[in-house]
């Protein structure tokens, strides 16, 4: 009988120990995954978007022209520079990083059937409508706007407009992004919008700047006139397109919510751009990936993501990083 009891203990006890160990390990693993204060969480969740494809677009691969008065970089094919690999990304068609010298600029020129917007990084840029004579604008308005850092000027080209963009400052160069998106319909009524977005808010997290017009493709004339965006406080755009911007301190990390809860389209694309503002000292990492580190002037194609996904952007450089996010279907 003693032999039998000993056999049972030797046989069953190790099994019980194993089961207890498995249960404890499962509980511990669950606790680590769910405890946001645990340092292991960052390691386990460092690649939150394993289903996403992230492809850097290096600054050296951009088109570049220096005309003296204009120093310009093209992330996508533009003007005399064409690269079949970089034509558009969803509805994102143009992303130019421009520097225009004082008392120079783009004289009156036409636009049609594009959504066009300028994001001012430094200096000032004056927008004028060709229908108004210089000096007769009547101050700041949707037809005349002298933009400074943090300002965004937006134009719906629609059936056709003509405007000029000029640096009328006597000594300072203006540095800005000019971005074009393909609208969801042609022949829209031309319209202008201007709005300022504070640095203080951008330092707290990504700030939404553009979002789709309420009503979407089927927007009524009343909705067009009201020009109400899906996300309050943003500029409305005629496209399934959201723009955000943030200023991330060194060692800081922001999260971009794909789609920004402004669209019903689930499958999305995100383009991330790091402007050249800190003399090469800014550097970011996307989704915790060592192969997705961007230097100033670089961008990245983030494909295969879904609305609601969280894209982490970490500053791994020495200076504050101003990051622009362009989110499209």
């Amino acid at each position: 009988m003693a032999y039998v009891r000993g056999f049972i203990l030797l046989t069953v006890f190790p099994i019980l120990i194993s089961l207890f160990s498995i249960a404890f390990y499962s509980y511990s693993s669950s606790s680590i995954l769910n405890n946001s204060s645990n340092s292991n969480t960052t390691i386990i969740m460092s690649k939150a978007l394993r289903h996403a494809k992230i492809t850097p677009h290096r600054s050296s691969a951009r088109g570049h022209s220096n005309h003296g008065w204009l120093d310009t970089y093209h992330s996508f094919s533009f003007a005399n520079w064409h690269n079949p690999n970089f034509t558009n990304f969803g509805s994102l068609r143009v992303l130019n990083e421009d520097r225009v010298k004082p008392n120079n600029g783009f004289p009156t020129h036409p636009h049609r059937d594009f959504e066009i917007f300028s994001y001012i990084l430094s200096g000032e840029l004056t927008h004028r409508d060709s229908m108004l004579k210089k000096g007769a604008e009547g101050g700041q308005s949707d037809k005349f706007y002298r933009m400074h850092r943090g300002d965004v000027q937006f134009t719906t080209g629609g059936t056709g407009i003509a405007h000029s963009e000029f640096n009328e400052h006597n000594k300072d160069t203006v540095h800005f992004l000019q971005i074009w998106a393909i609208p969801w319909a042609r022949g829209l009524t031309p319209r202008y919008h201007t709005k300022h977005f504070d640095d203080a808010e951008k330092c707290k997290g990504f700030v939404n700047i553009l979002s789709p017009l309420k009503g979407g493709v089927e927007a009524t004339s009343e909705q067009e006139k009201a020009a109400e965006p899906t996300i309050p406080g943003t500029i409305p755009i005629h496209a399934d397109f959201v723009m955000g911007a943030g200023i991330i301190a060194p060692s800081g990390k922001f999260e971009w919510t794909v789609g920004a809860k402004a669209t019903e389209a689930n499958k999305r694309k995100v383009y991330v751009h790091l402007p050249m503002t800190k003399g090469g000292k800014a550097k970011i990492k996307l989704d915790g990936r060592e192969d997705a580190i961007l230097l100033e002037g670089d961008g990245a194609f983030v494909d295969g993501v879904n609305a609601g996904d969280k894209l982490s952007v970490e500053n791994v450089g020495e200076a504050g990083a101003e990051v622009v996010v362009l989110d499209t279907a």
Side-chain angles (χ1 to χ4, degrees):
M1 182 64 71
Y3 174 82
V4 173
R5 285 198 300 269
F7 177 80
I8 291 174
L9 288 172
L10 288 173
T11 304
V12 176
F13 187 74
I15 296 175
L16 292 174
I17 291 295
S18 297
L19 291 174
F20 175 81
S21 298
I22 293 171
F24 178 79
Y25 176 78
S26 298
Y27 171 80
S28 299
S29 299
S30 176
S31 296
I32 290 172
L33 287 170
N34 290 308
N35 185 358
S36 60
S37 64
N38 193 299
S39 60
N40 289 330
T41 304
T42 302
I43 297 172
I44 294 170
M45 301 300 291
S46 62
K47 293 184 180 180
L49 300 180
R50 294 182 182 277
H51 56 284
K53 179 181 180 182
I54 301 180
T55 307
H57 181 15
R58 299 302 177 193
S59 181
S60 58
R62 296 188 292 178
H64 179 223
S65 297
N66 192 333
H67 304 282
W69 67 273
L70 168 67
D71 189 6
T72 179
Y73 290 83
H74 310 315
S75 295
F76 298 89
S77 296
F78 188 82
N80 295 326
W81 181 73
H82 179 75
N83 186 322
N85 296 318
F86 307 122
T87 54
N88 69 289
F89 191 54
S91 57
L92 175 59
R93 174 61 187 85
V94 170
L95 173 54
N96 294 345
E97 186 164 355
D98 293 345
R99 285 184 173 87
V100 177
K101 288 187 174 180
N103 296 310
N104 283 281
F106 303 94
T108 301
H109 55 282
H111 284 293
R112 188 183 187 93
D113 287 326
F114 275 108
E115 304 287 277
I116 302 166
F117 39 105
S118 298
Y119 179 87
I120 310 302
L121 294 162
S122 64
E124 68 174 42
L125 184 69
T126 298
H127 171 275
R128 295 182 185 277
D129 188 293
S130 59
M131 295 181 291
L132 295 176
K133 293 181 180 179
K134 186 174 181 179
E137 297 88 354
Q140 305 285 76
S141 72
D142 276 348
K143 291 186 177 180
F144 167 70
Y145 196 78
R146 181 163 288 132
M147 297 172 285
H148 300 88
R149 172 164 176 77
D151 289 336
V152 175
Q153 195 279 328
F154 179 91
T155 301
T156 292
T159 54
I161 56 94
H163 68 189
S164 65
E165 294 158 303
F166 224 80
N167 179 7
E168 297 182 357
H169 199 275
N170 291 324
K171 60 179 182 179
D172 293 341
T173 294
V174 62
H175 181 196
F176 67 103
L177 303 179
Q178 183 174 123
I179 307 169
W180 298 13
I182 303 168
W184 53 46
R186 299 172 64 88
L188 297 167
T189 301
R191 187 181 294 272
Y192 296 105
H193 296 288
T194 57
K195 192 172 180 65
H196 179 78
F197 298 88
D198 290 333
D199 281 359
E201 293 303 312
K202 293 177 193 171
C203 289
K204 299 175 184 177
F206 283 117
V207 172
N208 295 315
I209 291 173
L210 302 176
S211 68
L213 175 76
K214 273 194 175 180
V217 181
E218 304 299 327
T220 63
S221 57
E222 289 78 12
Q223 287 174 317
E224 286 283 355
K225 187 176 180 179
E228 187 178 354
T230 305
I231 301 175
T234 63
I235 294 173
I237 182 172
H238 297 89
D240 190 345
F241 189 102
V242 183
M243 175 181 177
I247 302 172
I248 311 175
S251 300
K253 183 188 292 186
F254 287 175
E255 273 193 344
W256 173 257
T257 301
V258 177
K261 301 180 181 179
T263 173
E264 294 181 359
N266 188 46
K267 300 296 181 181
R268 304 197 62 77
K269 304 172 183 288
V270 177
Y271 190 83
V272 180
H273 180 66
L274 180 62
M276 302 180 292
T277 61
K278 297 297 181 180
K281 294 182 179 180
K283 182 164 58 173
I284 60 174
K285 181 191 290 186
L286 305 182
D287 193 41
R289 305 186 188 194
E290 295 299 328
D291 60 351
I293 293 177
L294 307 185
L295 307 180
E296 290 185 36
D298 290 348
F301 301 97
V302 183
D303 212 345
V305 288
N306 304 310
D309 283 347
K310 305 290 186 181
L311 172 64
S312 70
V313 184
E314 180 183 2
N315 185 341
V316 293
E318 302 174 20
E322 184 160 9
V323 182
V324 173
V325 179
L326 305 164
D327 186 320
T328 175

